[in-house]
Amino acid sequence: MEANTYKSYGGYLVDKYSYSDNPPETIGWSTTATDLGFVDGTGYQSPDIICHKEGKPGALSAEVAAGGEIELQWTEWPESHHGPVLNYLAPCGGDCSAVDKASLEFFKIEAQGLIDGSSPPGHWATDDLISNNNSWTVTIPASVQEGNYVLRHEIIGLHSAGQKDGAQNYPQCINIKVTGGGDATPAGTAGEALYKDTDPGILFDIYSDLSDGYPIPGPEVFSA
């Protein structure tokens, strides 16, 4: 059998590249979130929620076969920042390095939230991410058409989400080129229409009774 081959790509290191006169070209979108901060509910209808604060497209794209996996590596994630991990795709309709982010329409390809709510604040997708060396693996649906896409990978920290605008969204975008695939063209949602700050999965108290589970916010996951 032939061994699987993996290729590694560097992302946009905001705390390093933002202060460089000549940062390297990456697949990751740049952002001005130099405080490693978040977008809260007051920014859900602003461009910042699309690909983080003042996000601009990366110059490069990573190639991945439809049905293949992408492993996303985070720096250290705080254990207290419990919440869901969500992944979206949006077709660029051309070269992603020149795409207008406001034109992107995202369809959700994967999401995990509350794993075990028997004892608040519960065991969450973020806890699995931490235990997996601060990484997350997402599979690109085999049925989507080949072409250029923006992968929007997001963690929502719910540790302060019991109060309005307390949820913390950390969206990260990368450019990918999907090869192979099928003929599926899922309907998408503009980034500025993904969430409202009163959505049940956004305004959510993780320190209360979790026996009813957790309603993951945003559109439903695309089902091939």
Side-chain angles (χ1 to χ4, degrees):
M1 293 179 64
E2 194 173 305
N4 289 329
T5 56
Y6 297 93
K7 184 170 182 179
S8 295
Y9 295 85
Y12 184 81
L13 306 177
V14 63
D15 54 348
K16 179 178 179 181
Y17 296 161
S18 294
Y19 304 103
S20 171
D21 292 332
N22 189 28
E25 293 185 332
T26 71
I27 63 173
W29 283 48
S30 66
T31 169
T32 60
T34 51
D35 58 355
L36 304 184
F38 52 86
V39 180
D40 65 21
T42 63
Y44 286 172
Q45 279 70 59
S46 82
D48 284 348
I49 194 61
I50 302 173
C51 290
H52 220 320
K53 297 177 180 178
E54 297 185 31
K56 294 180 181 178
L60 308 178
S61 291
E63 189 170 303
V64 56
E69 292 182 340
I70 295 176
E71 181 181 315
L72 299 139
Q73 181 69 53
W74 285 77
T75 52
E76 185 177 355
W77 186 257
E79 289 186 7
S80 63
H81 287 30
H82 300 289
V85 179
L86 310 96
N87 288 282
Y88 299 83
L89 285 180
C92 292
D95 188 343
C96 291
S97 67
V99 74
D100 174 5
K101 63 186 175 185
S103 71
L104 294 171
E105 295 194 348
F106 294 93
F107 57 96
K108 188 184 289 176
I109 60 171
E110 188 249 7
Q112 291 190 35
L114 181 63
I115 309 297
D116 181 357
S118 58
S119 177
H123 181 91
W124 293 81
T126 49
D127 298 301
D128 284 354
L129 181 146
I130 292 170
S131 63
N132 194 36
N133 192 34
N134 295 312
S135 70
W136 194 266
T137 300
V138 60
T139 300
I140 302 302
S143 61
V144 299
Q145 285 188 343
E146 67 179 15
N148 297 316
Y149 292 83
V150 172
L151 171 65
R152 182 180 181 277
H153 173 68
E154 179 179 40
I155 295 177
I156 305 178
L158 299 176
H159 48 291
S160 298
Q163 58 188 16
K164 191 168 178 285
D165 296 329
Q168 300 180 359
N169 294 61
Y170 297 82
Q172 311 293 329
C173 289
I174 65 171
N175 297 333
I176 63 172
K177 179 180 181 180
V178 177
T179 60
D183 56 7
T185 55
T189 302
E192 293 164 78
L194 289 173
Y195 312 118
K196 292 184 175 65
D197 63 3
T198 53
D199 287 345
I202 295 293
L203 185 58
F204 188 88
D205 183 4
I206 65 173
Y207 304 103
S208 64
D209 181 5
L210 300 175
S211 58
D212 289 336
Y214 170 71
I216 291 177
E220 294 296 313
V221 174
F222 161 65
S223 179

